[in-house]
Amino acid sequence: MASFGIVVFPGTWSDRDCYFAVHDRLRQEARFIWHKERDLSGLDCVILPGGFSYGDYLRSGAIARMSPVMEEVSEFAERGGYVIGICNGFQVLCESHLLPGALMRNSSLEFRCQQQWLRVETSDTAFTSETAKGRLLRLPVSHGEGNYYADPDTLADLESGNRVVFRYATADGDISDEANPNGSLHNIAGIVNETGNVLGMMPHPERASESLLGSDDGLAIFQSIIKNSERVVAHG
Amino acid sequence: MAAYSAEVFVVLKPLVNDPEGLVIRDALRTIGFNEVRAVRSGKYLTIELDADDQDEAEERLTEMCDKLLANPVIEEYRFTVHGVAVKA
């Protein structure tokens, strides 16, 4: 059993979907955390869900970063707690400097809402241990600003450190421009921090949590977190 | 304390691709402004603030830009600031 905290900012819209995935589908403990709260006690994993926190004013994620809860999330991450930022949550993590780089306007200038193939680039993370390297996951994307950018040195660090976790791929698993919905450098869809306990990803695993929704491929990501949380407790 | 007025400009760094600027450039050419070579888009903010003097106003604005108004990963900024008379 793992305990999930789902952060809710004004404008967050995927919080209920995250709750459904971890609580209803996977029978884990979950609670909502309003952005003004500071209590993260007892949690194994903090989820920063998708949405438009603070209306995306200034830059997506820029204002949410200043919320009281984010100070606690930073400390939680420093202590080794699992943090997963999905879509707007990924943007918040970049703005908070918990992850490198930035998410810019899609190169098409269009909001992209579609099913997307992702290739798992490493199963050597707490978020993908229940998948396999090279496996394709079908998850929806739904964003206007998912165009991952980082300077060349940062990109090289991410690649050499095996920290690119997901890339946009074709149905055959090819990494190509055609498969890239937003112009992200290196087709990057998700990355982890240096210590591997903070993941940011643009696609929505919580919206692929049962076959009725078109795919339940997203569950593997939450199942990985659960497995690894239990391992931490067992060793603790 | 005196009143100051600032204009802040935030734009993407030169090396960062600006799809919005490219689309605006193409649109300008489409309606006949073929002389347009490049367009970069950005943000413009006005800020009214209080400070002891010009130096302090500039220092505080720099902090505001670094901490919130610009994202140093992709953006750069510049501003102008000048003292203003406040109506009693």
Side-chain angles (χ1 to χ4, degrees):
Chain A
M1 179 72 79
S3 182
F4 289 84
I6 302 163
V7 175
V8 184
F9 299 103
T12 296
W13 71 14
S14 221
D15 42 332
R16 303 276 158 177
D17 294 342
C18 288
Y19 186 88
F20 176 79
V22 296
H23 181 266
D24 294 42
R25 291 287 292 140
L26 296 172
R27 302 286 164 202
Q28 304 298 302
E29 284 177 9
R31 69 175 196 256
F32 294 108
I33 300 169
W34 183 235
H35 68 116
K36 287 185 174 167
E37 288 178 38
R38 289 178 171 275
D39 180 13
L40 305 183
S41 57
L43 296 179
D44 298 299
C45 178
V46 170
I47 303 177
L48 301 175
F52 287 85
S53 57
Y54 295 90
D56 269 359
Y57 292 167
L58 193 63
R59 295 180 305 277
S60 46
I63 309 289
R65 173 205 161 193
M66 306 295 170
S67 288
V69 72
M70 283 312 296
E71 241 176 83
E72 305 302 322
V73 170
S74 293
E75 283 177 24
F76 180 81
E78 256 171 56
R79 290 198 301 271
Y82 296 133
V83 179
I84 173 170
I86 301 163
C87 197
N88 189 222
F90 187 9
Q91 295 161 343
V92 174
L93 288 174
C94 287
E95 283 284 343
S96 306
H97 309 301
L98 288 170
L99 290 174
L103 292 145
M104 303 181 38
R105 184 78 71 88
N106 292 352
S107 55
S108 63
L109 296 180
E110 291 170 351
F111 191 96
R112 285 296 167 88
C113 186
Q114 63 199 39
Q115 294 288 339
Q116 185 73 46
W117 288 106
L118 295 191
R119 194 174 77 189
V120 177
E121 297 296 286
T122 169
S123 59
D124 194 20
T125 80
F127 306 93
T128 51
S129 58
E130 300 303 301
T131 63
K133 182 175 172 165
R135 184 179 294 176
L136 294 176
L137 305 178
R138 187 133 174 94
L139 304 183
V141 294
S142 170
H143 60 251
E145 304 197 348
N147 181 353
Y148 185 77
Y149 173 86
D151 63 62
D153 288 348
T154 307
L155 270 183
D157 277 356
L158 287 171
E159 295 288 1
S160 64
N162 214 14
R163 288 165 54 196
V164 176
V165 181
F166 305 110
R167 279 184 230 273
Y168 301 110
T170 64
D172 298 324
D174 294 331
I175 306 301
S176 63
D177 287 347
E178 166 208 344
N180 190 336
N182 53 32
S184 287
L185 293 177
H186 296 201
N187 279 40
I188 287 174
I191 56 170
V192 285
N193 65 344
E194 235 176 315
T195 43
N197 62 312
V198 177
L199 169 78
M201 61 187 297
M202 286 312 295
H204 288 273
E206 79 283 9
R207 296 186 198 170
S209 60
E210 64 178 331
S211 48
L212 191 64
L213 297 171
S215 164
D216 62 0
D217 287 357
L219 289 179
I221 292 167
F222 297 110
Q223 280 160 339
S224 300
I225 299 171
I226 294 162
K227 251 303 183 17
N228 289 290
S229 299
E230 285 164 352
R231 206 163 290 159
V232 169
V233 172
H235 286 191
Chain B
M1 280 288 181
Y4 290 84
S5 178
E7 294 185 306
V8 182
F9 302 86
V10 182
V11 293
L12 291 168
K13 287 179 179 174
L15 286 176
V16 176
N17 187 33
D18 176 14
E20 192 170 342
L22 292 175
V23 168
I24 296 167
R25 180 199 65 187
D26 291 347
L28 284 170
R29 288 176 179 171
T30 302
I31 58 172
F33 295 100
N34 295 310
E35 71 272 34
V36 174
R37 276 192 284 119
V39 175
R40 302 287 287 177
S41 65
K43 288 191 191 79
Y44 166 70
L45 305 98
T46 60
I47 296 182
E48 311 292 325
L49 71 160
D50 296 320
D52 284 337
D53 52 35
Q54 177 81 18
D55 283 352
E56 194 202 41
E58 290 181 9
E59 198 177 300
R60 297 293 283 171
L61 280 159
T62 302
E63 280 179 45
M64 291 179 209
C65 289
D66 288 340
K67 285 189 176 165
L68 179 65
L69 302 179
N71 179 345
V73 177
I74 48 172
E75 294 171 326
E76 56 189 24
Y77 62 83
R78 63 187 166 82
F79 58 77
T80 60
V81 58
H82 59 90
V84 289
V86 177
K87 284 177 197 156

